[in-house]
Amino acid sequence: MRYPEDGGLTAEERIKRERLRFEAAELFAQGVSALEVARRFRVTRMSANRCHHACRRRPDRSPPGPAT
């Protein structure tokens, strides 16, 4: 199944998603565990781990943007 452009999100929803990514990255930078981030944002531990590893791979520790 293919998703529409931008994952089917409105511009407002994309902005909200991006803000959450940066909040999660900030928590990771403070040493909060992926499990705790998953609880706070009500996502799976696997999603939080992916975000955490993606942030660690980036030189500026920022979260990755949406897939293109």
Side-chain angles (χ1 to χ4, degrees):
M1 170 184 232
R2 291 198 46 121
Y3 293 97
E5 280 296 312
D6 300 321
L9 299 175
T10 66
E12 185 177 297
E13 291 168 328
R14 285 191 304 275
I15 290 168
K16 181 180 177 183
R17 175 85 44 96
E18 188 71 7
R19 188 176 10 196
L20 291 176
R21 283 188 189 107
F22 277 95
E23 287 177 29
E26 181 63 33
L27 290 173
F28 290 133
Q30 294 172 11
V32 176
S33 71
L35 181 58
E36 180 58 28
V37 170
R39 285 184 184 140
R40 290 185 191 187
F41 290 100
R42 296 188 305 171
V43 298
T44 65
R45 191 184 82 237
M46 184 180 286
S47 291
N49 275 329
R50 282 188 196 126
C51 183
H52 186 212
H53 290 293
C55 289
R56 287 178 41 205
R57 285 192 301 266
R58 296 176 62 86
D60 61 356
R61 299 288 194 210
S62 66
T68 55

